[in-house]
Amino acid sequence: MSETANCIFCKIVRGEIPAIKVHEDELTLSFMDIQPASPGHLLVIAKTHAANLLDITEADLLAVTLAAQRLARAAWKALEPDGIRINQFNGAAAGQSVFHYHVHVIPVWEGRKIGSHGRAPASPEELTALAGKIRQALV
Ligand code: 5GP
Ligand code: ZN
C-alpha cells in the first residue's frame, strides 16, 4: 500500500474525510486543526504528500510558507491576537504525529496559556465560526 493511502491529510486532500477548510490554491490547503492549541489554530499543508521538511519539494515548501503567511495575516486581522506562533515538527521525537508536512498557525493572546495541540477536540460549530471569520479576512 502506498504511503499516501492511509495518510489522514492526503485523505482530507482527496475529500475522503471532512475538514473545515479556510483556503485552497493549486498547491496548498489550509484548514482548522481539529484539536486546537488555541482558538483559530490552522494547519497549512501541501496537497502533494511529503512526510516532513526533509522530503518536501522546494516548490511546495515555498507555496506552504506563503500560504501560512497569508493565513497568519488573515487570522491576525480577524481574531486580533497579540501574536502568532508558527510551529512545524519533523519526526516523532520532535513531536510530529501526522507524517505529512504541515505548518501550524497558532494565534496567541497575552495572559492566555496555549494548550498542547492534538489533545482536546473543539466543537465543529466553534471551528466553523472561527474559519468563517478568518476566511472573510483573507486578501
Ligand atoms: P503534529 O503532527 O505537528 O504534532 O500535529 C498534527 C496536528 O494535526 C494536531 O494538532 C492534530 O490536532 C491535527 N489533526 C490530526 N488529525 C486531524 C484531522 O483528522 N483533522 C484535522 N483538521 N486536524 C487533525
Ligand atoms: Zn499525506
Side-chain angles (χ1 to χ4, degrees), residues 74-98:
W76 202 300
K77 194 170 155 194
L79 308 179
E80 300 183 327
D82 298 307
I84 299 241
R85 180 180 290 188
I86 301 294
N87 279 349
Q88 194 275 312
F89 306 102
N90 300 285
Q96 188 176 14
S97 64
V98 177

Side-chain angles (χ1 to χ4, degrees), residues 2 6 8 19 33 38 40 45 48-49 56 60 62 71 80 83-84 88-90 94 99 124 126 134:
S2 83
N6 283 325
I8 197 124
D33 193 303
S38 77
I45 69 170
T48 301
H49 182 89
I56 192 167
D60 279 345
L62 179 62
L71 271 295
E80 300 183 327
I84 299 241
Q88 194 275 312
F89 306 102
N90 300 285
F99 298 95
E126 188 191 348
I134 298 168

Side-chain angles (χ1 to χ4, degrees), residues 65-126:
T65 304
L66 291 175
Q69 183 191 42
R70 211 169 153 199
L71 271 295
R73 283 178 173 152
W76 202 300
K77 194 170 155 194
L79 308 179
E80 300 183 327
D82 298 307
I84 299 241
R85 180 180 290 188
I86 301 294
N87 279 349
Q88 194 275 312
F89 306 102
N90 300 285
Q96 188 176 14
S97 64
V98 177
F99 298 95
H100 178 130
Y101 181 82
H102 56 279
V103 170
H104 297 259
V105 176
I106 304 174
V108 181
W109 285 266
E110 269 165 25
R112 203 150 131 190
K113 222 173 158 219
I114 304 181
S116 293
H117 70 279
R119 293 274 169 83
S123 81
E125 293 77 17
E126 188 191 348

